[in-house]
């Protein structure tokens, strides 16, 4: 079992562009959460997906959107990138009730 | 008051020392994660606890539900243990994970 995987590992974009980050959950997990971690800060909850629907959302603007596919994998999309969107984006998965496992993250740099 | 608090904020230890990191949490949190993050790296889940004690190698985690307190212990610490250790509470009613501020551990050879 590969655990939670994310792609790409690193990404550089310019302001105004759009980006898509991908997450494959651990086998058997159906719930995926996304977090943003700015340098030197703790992770901030973006949103959570379950059964292909956004179930919860943190305090992030509509520029941040997501999707969950029937195989439980998920995408995070960010439109109109700002410099402040530079961060490590973490995906975490779990079963409906259970321990949350984190992926290695995608390091996004916006220039 | 933060829902999940940790102490100390920073910790420097000599190789081989026994290390304890503490976490206290508020009402409504039903389980705790202990997480490890190396500089520039992703987050690794060490333990999830809702009661009692768990051990994995040199790491031990305990939780006292009545006191709403958890500890992470590292025995025979090693420089590779240098990382940020994060306590995160699972708030069942809202199905949310609340992260503590983290403890930055540096183990010196």
């Amino acid at each position: 079992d590969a655990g939670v995987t994310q792609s790409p590992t690193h990404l550089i974009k310019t302001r105004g562009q759009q980006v898509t980050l991908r997450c494959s959950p651990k086998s058997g997990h159906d719930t995926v959460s996304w977090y943003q971690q700015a340098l030197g800060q703790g992770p901030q909850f973006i949103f959570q997906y379950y059964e292909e629907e956004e179930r919860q959302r943190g305090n992030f603007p509509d520029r941040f959107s997501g999707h969950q596919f029937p195989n439980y994998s998920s995408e995070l999309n960010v439109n109109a990138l700002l410099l402040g969107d530079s961060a490590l984006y973490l995906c975490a998965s779990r079963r409906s009730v259970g321990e949350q496992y984190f992926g290695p993250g995608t390091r996004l740099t916006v220039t | 008051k933060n829902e999940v608090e940790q102490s100390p904020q920073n910790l420097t230890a000599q190789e081989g020392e026994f290390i304890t990191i503490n976490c206290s949490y508020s009402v409504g949190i039903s389980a705790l994660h202990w997480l490890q993050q190396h500089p520039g790296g992703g987050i690794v889940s060490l333990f999830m606890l809702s009661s009692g004690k768990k051990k994995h190698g040199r790491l031990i985690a305990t939780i006292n539900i009545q006191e709403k307190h958890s500890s992470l212990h590292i025995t025979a610490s090693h420089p590779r243990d240098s990382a940020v250790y994060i306590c995160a509470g699972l708030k069942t009613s809202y199905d949310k994970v609340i992260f503590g501020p983290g403890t930055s551990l540096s183990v010196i050879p």
Side-chain angles (χ1 to χ4, degrees):
Chain A
D1 180 11
V4 181
T5 60
Q6 291 186 243
S7 64
T9 54
H10 294 85
L11 199 54
I12 299 174
K13 291 284 190 177
T14 56
R15 278 179 296 177
Q17 285 189 315
Q18 179 265 344
V19 68
T20 297
L21 311 182
R22 295 177 176 83
C23 172
S24 291
K26 186 175 168 64
S27 178
H29 288 188
D30 56 13
T31 302
V32 173
S33 300
W34 286 92
Y35 298 86
Q36 180 196 64
Q37 187 179 27
L39 195 63
Q41 305 294 318
Q44 299 294 315
F45 175 71
I46 304 175
F47 41 53
Q48 181 187 86
Y49 277 85
Y50 173 71
E51 291 189 344
E52 302 179 53
E53 290 192 359
E54 184 183 292
R55 189 161 67 171
Q56 286 193 78
R57 188 178 184 92
N59 189 25
F60 278 80
D62 293 344
R63 298 187 297 110
F64 289 76
S65 63
H67 189 76
Q68 186 179 35
F69 298 94
N71 66 353
Y72 307 119
S73 67
S74 178
E75 289 182 348
L76 164 65
N77 301 291
V78 187
N79 294 322
L81 284 167
L82 304 174
L83 294 179
D85 296 331
S86 296
L88 179 69
Y89 288 86
L90 296 161
C91 168
S93 76
R94 60 176 175 82
R95 297 180 196 273
S96 302
V97 178
E99 185 170 355
Q100 190 155 232
Y101 288 78
F102 286 85
T106 293
R107 174 75 62 189
L108 172 65
T109 301
V110 182
T111 62
Chain B
K1 187 177 186 294
N2 294 329
E3 292 184 87
V4 178
E5 295 185 333
Q6 289 184 236
S7 63
Q9 184 178 0
N10 295 286
L11 183 57
T12 300
Q14 288 293 130
E15 183 174 358
E17 283 186 6
F18 181 83
I19 289 164
T20 296
I21 300 170
N22 296 299
C23 175
S24 59
Y25 57 92
S26 62
V27 172
I29 287 176
S30 60
L32 276 185
H33 294 273
W34 280 103
L35 310 167
Q36 179 194 57
Q37 186 172 34
H38 283 100
I43 288 178
V44 174
S45 178
L46 300 175
F47 299 104
M48 187 176 88
L49 287 168
S50 54
S51 64
K53 176 180 175 179
K54 287 189 177 179
K55 183 177 189 296
H56 182 69
R58 295 182 294 106
L59 301 177
I60 303 166
T62 63
I63 190 168
N64 184 316
I65 298 168
Q66 286 73 29
E67 295 185 4
K68 298 183 181 56
H69 181 270
S70 176
S71 294
L72 176 68
H73 306 286
I74 305 175
T75 62
S77 59
H78 189 275
R80 65 175 173 265
D81 298 326
S82 298
V84 174
Y85 291 84
I86 304 168
C87 169
L90 175 62
K91 198 157 187 173
T92 308
S93 59
Y94 297 103
D95 192 24
K96 286 177 67 174
V97 174
I98 311 295
F99 291 88
T103 294
S104 179
L105 171 66
S106 178
V107 181
I108 299 169

